[in-house]
Amino acid sequence: MTTRSDRGLRRKIFSHSMVVLSGLAIVAVMLPLFWIIYECVVLGGSHLTLNYFTQGTPPPCSPISCEAGGGLTMIQGSFIVVALATLYAVPIGIAAAIFAVEYGGGGALGALSRALSMAADVLSGVPSIVIGVFVYVLILYYDHGIVFSVTSGSLALGAIMLPIVMRTTEEALRTVPHSVREAALALGMTRWKISLRIVLISALPGVLTGILLAIARAVGEAAPLLLLDNTTLPRFLGFNYPAQSLSLGIYLWADSPYKNLQNLAWETALVLLIFVLVLSLTSRLALNRLSRKWKA
Amino acid sequence: MEGLNTMLGESPVKMDVQSLNAFYGESRAIQDINLAIPEKQVTAIIGPSGCGKSTLIRCLNRLHETGFKARVEGSVFLDGEDLYQLDATLVRRRVGMVFQKPNPFATMSIYNNVSAPLRFNGHPSRQECDDAVLRALKQAALWDEVKDRVDDPATSLSGGQQQRLCIARALAANPEVLLMDEPCSALDPIATAKIEELIGQLKQEYTVVIVTHNMQQAARVSDRTAFLYLGKLIEYGPTEDLFERPKEHLTESYITGRFG
Amino acid sequence: MTRGNPFPPRSSRQILRAPKWGDRIFFALTMLGALGLAGIIIAMVVALVHGATPAFDQIPFTSFLFGRIWDPGGCVNGTSTCVYGALPFIAGTLITSTIALLLAIPLSLGAAIFLTQHAPMWMREPVAQVVQLLAAVPSVVYGFWGLIVLVPIMRYDVNPVLAHDLGWTGLFGGPTNIGLTVLTASLVLSIMTVPTITAISRDAMEAVPRSQKEAAISLGATPWEVTRRSVLPYSRSGIVAGIVLGLGRALGETMAVTMTIGNRNAIPLSLLSQGQTIPSLIANDFFEAITPLEIPALMEMALFLLIITLAINLGARLILARLQLGRGAATE
């Protein structure tokens, strides 16, 4: 017959083992990140030199020559397509966020602004390949334009960045205390100036973090570019032409039979991973530090 | 209730509140207020918590209506013009306000805080800004303490200094009336004393209306006092008269501390 | 110098009008931004419907949805008819997402429980940052790691063991000497889904009021019992919403899946088979299209995927909004 203390002991042991299990779970959750970083360093770092940043994509190995090349072409292409996307996403995202915060509150406009936040969240859940197909249809059917180009790719990436910019800006604007707005109102400032020059500026660290996180996300996207901006063109020729990009390079050449391209893909995986992780981490940490300094 | 044609002494009426009612949604916060505020004097508004004194003062610069479901009925005349017929933004440039908790713009320097009303409401030259900042900081009795560090962040000042900074900022806008909503309640006694002294100087140039929950403060700084209770104006008159010879029983009860 | 205005007005008309116009233009511009964002979602649905219309017209819906064979090239070489059955990809998508969730949910919940209930305070923020970094890793990098690192491990070490020891379940049939399988893709997918579920579950659990936990503790409950009886029930809706959002993410993952699943357009009969999901199909076949009907068929599948992920996301977000949670989820 189990006594009361037996049952109590059993409960305690069970509880302890569950705590241990949950500890194991957190380790299991974190482990892949370190494993991935480790493998990227091992696989991509073995031949990585500074030439990666100065040389362009090499032609595939032939019996005659086998250049190592570098990632410069891909870096340029990624930079341009993401920069364009940022140009679309940031103004629209910030405008939408300001609308959601400044005109939210009562009645019809308030409901509209809440629906807007919901729309941004829903948009952020759309698979990136679907966004790629959407832009494809848009350009092919409605614009009859050249589908394969940096411009098309940037439209898709912009749509991916937009909800991120909008939501983080909205959150940042909402943390500005009401007293700041009241002080500005009491000085007889017009509403739009208060919104832009006082509230937005005051929320600037959060807004910048949002933009940087959106950039980190966009530079890693490959699926839309696969449909819209895929090429072997050796250099950037113009906005109506496609250009190589870091994320696509990894996909195309990770298991390429050509050794030099495969090496390039592996090195690119490392470079892209480090870039994205560092950008995400530092922008978040910088935000924490800056907002603490300004709240002083 | 006192109105335009009763004893204000020799002072002309600067602001005249007539039949003022203010609402939050369906509930009425102040009811049928009639109040004549004399020019270049300090008028205090006192009363227990929730009596509507903050609501009243926020109607004087049309800040109340910016709240959620907030509504105002009645008129407030400034030099004969009904403020509720004018553009609200312009009204607030003539009637300035200092708040209970100092709220300098945290991302700006001392200089930029004080010059903010000029820079945001117009296109001042550098010289005009410098002059205005100097004048405002002197009027707020802060100049001596910050003259060597006007470019430091506003948040580097102490609480009392920040409040004087907010006063300077409000003065830089060159208002006709300065409203103060419990300006000392977040400050220590020494800072409070400095600001009370400041108010005494300010009334030479500006009309001051101050809301305070501290009766002794009202007695110290004001020329006229209005006593509000549950949204209604109970009594209004020269401060000395109200405190020493209150006409209403309610006033007397409040002053002698029987409630509040 | 007039009082109330530090600078002499250029004209009184200008002073009186200026505030209104600035505010009006501002309102219009921000409203445009807002409508733009909302408009994109509507435009997406419209555009995909437009693109998929030929497929709607020419492929009967039931044979599309339940057709087990995808052979758009069949009629070209004259061997048989062109068949556009989407079932292999629906099955592939569902199988990979289901397995990913089955693996991710216990891990994520365990991790969230540890983070919110048992971890020392100094550990919480750094670990949370690590989990967020996991969400920041690009899909291609996951795919790259899956392809180069995980696939050989599965091929040489794991699959033979699974087939040998667990073959009786019928799940691990077929040749085991290929590492590109539904199972491998599901494993990678589960790692990618974990951060989403962990983050939202963590938010949900942190929102449990202390009083709830203290009530359980004061009744003599062990730490695990506090979690099980107080924290988990209270945060149940939030956790469910997190899982649903994770599902949404898993359904739409493209690059990591297409690099590890084997890209075979047939219903996978075992976990060790090669397969294909809707996103990986679109990625693979969009420009390999042989017949003019193939791209509209792909668009029909994309539309299908869009509507499902929209519905999933909307549902989960509505739950989270009611619970006032999910603040940081938009950045994932």
Side-chain angles (χ1 to χ4, degrees):
Chain A
M1 186 172 76
T2 52
T3 63
R4 229 143 145 227
S5 57
D6 282 343
R7 268 178 274 140
L9 189 61
R10 227 176 331 139
R11 280 166 56 193
K12 271 212 182 118
I13 294 179
F14 186 66
S15 176
H16 277 306
S17 26
M18 294 309 276
V19 175
V20 168
L21 267 184
S22 67
L24 288 177
I26 193 80
V27 170
V29 162
M30 292 199 294
L31 201 64
L33 179 68
F34 299 113
W35 190 2
I36 292 177
I37 297 178
Y38 169 74
E39 290 291 352
C40 283
V41 169
V42 163
L43 293 169
S46 47
H47 299 300
L48 186 63
T49 64
L50 278 177
N51 281 337
Y52 182 86
F53 298 100
T54 54
Q55 308 271 5
T57 309
C61 273
S62 66
I64 310 171
S65 73
C66 201
E67 295 172 35
L72 189 59
T73 324
M74 291 189 284
I75 293 178
Q76 286 171 341
S78 277
F79 176 79
I80 292 175
V81 77
V82 172
L84 267 186
T86 312
L87 280 178
Y88 303 141
V90 168
I92 302 181
I94 294 184
I98 292 181
F99 182 85
V101 174
E102 292 298 315
Y103 299 104
L109 273 185
L112 193 60
S113 82
R114 278 189 298 279
L116 181 61
S117 300
M118 186 69 60
D121 282 337
V122 168
L123 181 58
S124 70
V126 174
S128 55
I129 190 93
V130 172
I131 293 187
V133 175
F134 158 61
V135 174
Y136 180 89
V137 174
L138 210 59
I139 297 193
L140 194 67
Y141 286 89
Y142 294 105
D143 194 29
H144 304 289
I146 308 164
V147 180
F148 256 175
S149 68
V150 166
T151 316
S152 320
S154 67
L155 283 178
L157 291 187
I160 294 176
M161 290 174 73
L162 183 59
I164 302 177
V165 172
M166 188 261 171
R167 286 300 261 135
T168 47
T169 303
E170 187 191 345
E171 294 294 328
L173 290 176
R174 285 196 199 279
T175 61
V176 175
H178 192 55
S179 58
V180 173
R181 281 172 227 260
E182 281 214 318
L185 268 179
L187 290 173
M189 293 186 198
T190 54
R191 209 162 173 201
W192 69 270
K193 273 198 186 147
I194 298 180
S195 224
L196 279 185
R197 293 180 64 179
I198 304 269
V199 178
L200 186 62
I201 301 296
S202 159
L204 210 51
V207 176
L208 286 178
T209 301
I211 298 178
L212 290 178
L213 288 177
I215 290 179
R217 170 83 192 270
V219 90
E221 282 291 340
L225 298 183
L226 188 60
L227 300 183
L228 300 166
D229 187 16
N230 186 7
T231 182
T232 52
L233 284 179
R235 56 180 203 284
F236 177 65
L237 290 174
F239 293 104
N240 279 330
Y241 294 89
Q244 298 186 19
S245 50
L246 295 165
S247 48
L248 262 192
I250 301 174
Y251 170 70
L252 293 172
W253 302 319
D255 55 355
S256 168
Y258 300 105
K259 220 32 178 128
N260 60 348
L261 290 178
Q262 190 189 57
N263 275 337
L264 190 59
W266 293 11
E267 290 168 359
T268 305
L270 175 62
V271 168
L272 184 62
L273 179 65
I274 299 294
F275 177 71
V276 167
L277 289 184
V278 167
L279 189 59
S280 299
L281 194 60
T282 53
S283 58
R284 263 192 272 258
L285 289 182
L287 165 73
N288 284 345
R289 195 163 306 169
L290 255 180
S291 58
R292 247 180 278 136
K293 188 177 97 170
W294 279 2
K295 281 213 179 93
Chain B
M1 301 303 123
E2 310 225 319
L4 199 57
N5 43 0
T6 53
M7 304 179 300
L8 287 184
E10 324 74 35
S11 297
V13 170
K14 185 66 177 173
M15 281 186 102
D16 192 15
V17 179
Q18 291 188 5
S19 305
L20 194 66
N21 292 275
F23 300 82
Y24 289 102
E26 287 312 311
S27 76
R28 188 185 343 216
I30 57 176
Q31 189 174 0
D32 289 327
I33 306 275
N34 289 288
L35 195 64
I37 297 171
E39 189 178 10
K40 296 208 176 149
Q41 289 187 14
V42 179
T43 304
I45 305 178
I46 62 173
S49 283
C51 67
K53 45 192 201 292
S54 267
T55 310
L56 172 58
I57 201 174
R58 289 163 67 96
C59 288
L60 298 184
N61 71 344
R62 296 190 60 176
L63 209 55
H64 171 83
E65 66 205 46
T66 62
F68 186 61
K69 285 195 185 167
R71 202 167 40 98
V72 175
E73 283 170 11
S75 308
V76 174
F77 291 92
L78 179 66
D79 286 341
E81 281 182 285
D82 185 3
L83 295 182
Y84 281 86
Q85 303 295 325
L86 301 177
D87 180 82
T89 310
L90 296 178
V91 166
R92 297 185 197 120
R93 294 182 194 178
R94 296 168 67 186
V95 181
M97 181 174 251
V98 173
F99 297 83
Q100 185 171 335
K101 213 167 153 285
N103 54 9
F105 297 127
T107 57
M108 296 187 200
S109 65
I110 296 173
Y111 182 96
N112 283 337
N113 258 281
V114 180
S115 60
L118 286 87
R119 290 182 296 112
F120 285 78
N121 293 340
H123 303 281
S125 67
R126 177 78 197 195
Q127 187 59 45
E128 282 168 330
C129 266
D130 287 348
D131 293 341
V133 169
L134 176 65
R135 181 178 61 88
L137 284 174
K138 279 198 171 152
Q139 281 186 326
L142 191 58
W143 174 247
D144 288 324
E145 290 166 55
V146 301
K147 63 181 177 223
D148 297 323
R149 47 179 182 131
V150 284
D151 288 324
D152 283 358
T155 47
S156 63
L157 296 175
S158 73
Q161 289 172 321
Q162 285 188 15
Q163 189 65 305
R164 277 180 281 146
L165 177 65
C166 292
I167 295 176
R169 181 179 63 184
L171 295 180
N174 209 8
E176 300 169 48
V177 179
L178 184 63
L179 306 175
M180 308 181 94
D181 188 356
E182 303 205 32
C184 302
S185 52
L187 304 179
D188 62 74
I190 299 179
T192 301
K194 281 202 181 133
I195 291 193
E196 286 182 9
E197 192 188 323
L198 181 57
I199 295 177
Q201 294 163 10
L202 285 177
K203 73 178 184 184
Q204 291 166 25
E205 278 219 47
Y206 307 94
T207 305
V208 178
V209 181
I210 176 170
V211 161
T212 178
H213 65 267
N214 182 337
M215 282 183 283
Q216 290 77 19
Q217 181 174 79
R220 282 192 294 270
V221 306
S222 67
D223 300 302
R224 298 181 72 82
T225 302
F227 170 59
L228 251 65
Y229 182 66
L230 292 182
K232 295 208 189 74
L233 178 63
I234 307 294
E235 190 167 339
Y236 175 50
T239 301
E240 207 179 289
D241 291 349
L242 189 125
F243 278 96
E244 289 177 19
R245 294 172 286 277
K247 294 206 185 95
E248 300 288 329
H249 180 64
L250 213 49
T251 317
E252 191 194 343
S253 303
Y254 180 67
I255 289 170
T256 52
R258 244 171 268 150
F259 70 91
Chain C
M1 183 163 82
T2 52
R3 300 300 291 274
N5 184 352
F7 306 99
R10 278 176 228 125
S11 83
S12 56
R13 268 181 63 221
Q14 183 190 47
I15 290 295
L16 285 176
R17 275 176 41 158
K20 275 277 162 55
W21 280 115
D23 281 340
R24 284 208 191 121
I25 297 177
F26 186 65
F27 179 70
L29 283 179
T30 53
M31 171 79 98
L32 263 179
L35 291 178
L37 195 150
I40 289 184
I41 301 180
I42 302 175
M44 268 198 292
V45 177
V46 168
L48 284 181
V49 168
H50 184 138
T53 311
F56 286 134
D57 294 337
Q58 297 174 40
I59 308 176
F61 191 63
T62 45
S63 78
F64 184 72
L65 200 57
F66 299 112
R68 287 158 52 211
I69 303 181
W70 171 266
D71 187 18
C75 53
V76 173
N77 12 10
T79 46
S80 55
T81 52
C82 284
V83 188
Y84 299 93
L87 197 57
F89 318 110
I90 299 178
T93 310
L94 285 178
I95 294 175
T96 49
S97 301
T98 307
I99 299 178
L101 275 188
L102 284 178
L103 293 173
I105 291 177
L107 281 182
S108 305
L109 283 186
I113 290 175
F114 185 79
L115 264 183
T116 54
Q117 313 297 321
H118 307 300
M121 290 310 277
W122 58 265
M123 207 191 267
R124 298 196 185 185
E125 200 45 44
V127 171
Q129 288 289 341
V130 168
V131 174
Q132 280 199 302
L133 280 185
L134 212 60
V137 175
S139 185
V140 262
V141 175
Y142 273 115
F144 162 75
W145 173 82
L147 178 64
I148 307 292
V149 176
L150 195 60
V151 161
I153 294 179
M154 298 300 287
R155 177 175 174 183
Y156 295 117
D157 300 323
V158 179
N159 290 354
V161 171
L162 285 175
H164 184 260
D165 293 342
L166 292 179
W168 52 268
T169 56
L171 290 172
F172 300 100
T176 64
N177 57 354
I178 309 180
L180 297 166
T181 62
V182 166
L183 181 63
T184 312
S186 306
L187 284 176
V188 178
L189 209 53
S190 72
I191 300 176
M192 298 173 77
T193 315
V194 160
T196 308
I197 304 181
T198 307
I200 299 188
S201 302
R202 182 176 162 238
D203 282 346
M205 290 186 206
E206 270 180 354
V208 176
R210 292 200 64 190
S211 54
Q212 296 275 329
K213 298 200 290 185
E214 282 165 3
I217 296 175
S218 64
L219 289 172
T222 62
W224 164 249
E225 283 163 359
V226 171
T227 305
R228 203 185 118 210
R229 293 189 191 283
S230 279
V231 176
L232 286 182
Y234 195 91
S235 48
R236 190 174 37 205
S237 308
I239 294 177
V240 167
I243 294 175
V244 171
L245 274 183
L247 173 66
R249 176 144 188 212
L251 290 178
E253 253 323 311
T254 312
M255 302 314 291
V257 171
T258 194
M259 289 168 90
T260 52
I261 200 172
N263 300 313
R264 184 169 144 258
N265 296 344
I267 302 181
L269 295 170
S270 103
L271 289 180
L272 301 187
S273 313
Q274 285 67 56
Q276 191 84 287
T277 63
I278 296 181
S280 66
L281 173 72
I282 299 176
N284 243 6
D285 281 8
F286 208 71
F287 294 116
E288 315 283 321
I290 311 167
T291 60
L293 205 51
E294 194 168 340
I295 289 195
L298 290 178
M299 290 201 188
E300 187 175 345
M301 276 193 265
L303 179 63
F304 198 50
L305 191 62
L306 173 65
I307 294 182
I308 294 197
T309 48
L310 281 182
I312 285 183
N313 265 278
L314 192 59
R317 297 283 181 182
L318 280 174
I319 298 178
L320 288 178
R322 258 202 324 153
L323 299 173
Q324 309 241 314
L325 290 175
R327 254 198 54 239
T331 53
E332 294 175 20

